[in-house]
Amino acid sequence: MHAYLITAKPGRSSRAVRFVARWTVRALALLVMVALGAFVFPLRAARPVLNYVATRAAWVELWAASVTGIGPVGAAIGSGITDEFIREFHKARASATREETYA
């Protein structure tokens, strides 16, 4: 049973406008999803290559450190950055669970 049995049926133009609006929203949503996919897919596909390059760079740094006698600088910097990231991550996670008032 449709409500049209009691009230007036919407006109052809209003139904056409509603149809176009509905499909416009669907098309825009699809466009947003395709754009996000086009941005994320290359990053995800490049990840194994980036991991390989980073591993090779670490090996080259260790080789250069053994040849020159200078310690591996990248490892020291990288571990410091990692420690700072872990500190910030845990701080943000802990503050997200409690309510804070900002002045």
Side-chain angles (χ1 to χ4, degrees), residues 28 33 37 60 90 94:
L28 287 174
M33 288 187 281
V60 168
H90 287 303

Side-chain angles (χ1 to χ4, degrees), residues 24-86:
T24 302
V25 169
R26 290 177 181 171
L28 287 174
L30 181 63
L31 184 67
V32 167
M33 288 187 281
V34 167
L36 285 173
F39 176 73
V40 170
F41 180 73
L43 295 177
R44 296 287 303 263
R47 187 173 180 183
V49 174
L50 294 175
N51 286 344
Y52 177 78
V53 169
T55 303
R56 289 293 140 210
W59 278 104
V60 168
E61 182 186 19
L62 290 174
W63 170 81
S66 68
V67 170
T68 61
I70 302 171
V73 178
I77 294 172
S79 66
I81 291 172
T82 301
D83 292 342
E84 184 62 28
F85 174 77
I86 290 171

Side-chain angles (χ1 to χ4, degrees), residues 5-30:
L5 296 176
I6 298 171
T7 60
K9 188 174 182 179
R12 182 174 288 170
S13 61
S14 66
R15 284 185 293 167
V17 167
R18 196 175 314 140
F19 177 82
V20 169
R22 185 180 304 126
W23 280 101
T24 302
V25 169
R26 290 177 181 171
L28 287 174
L30 181 63

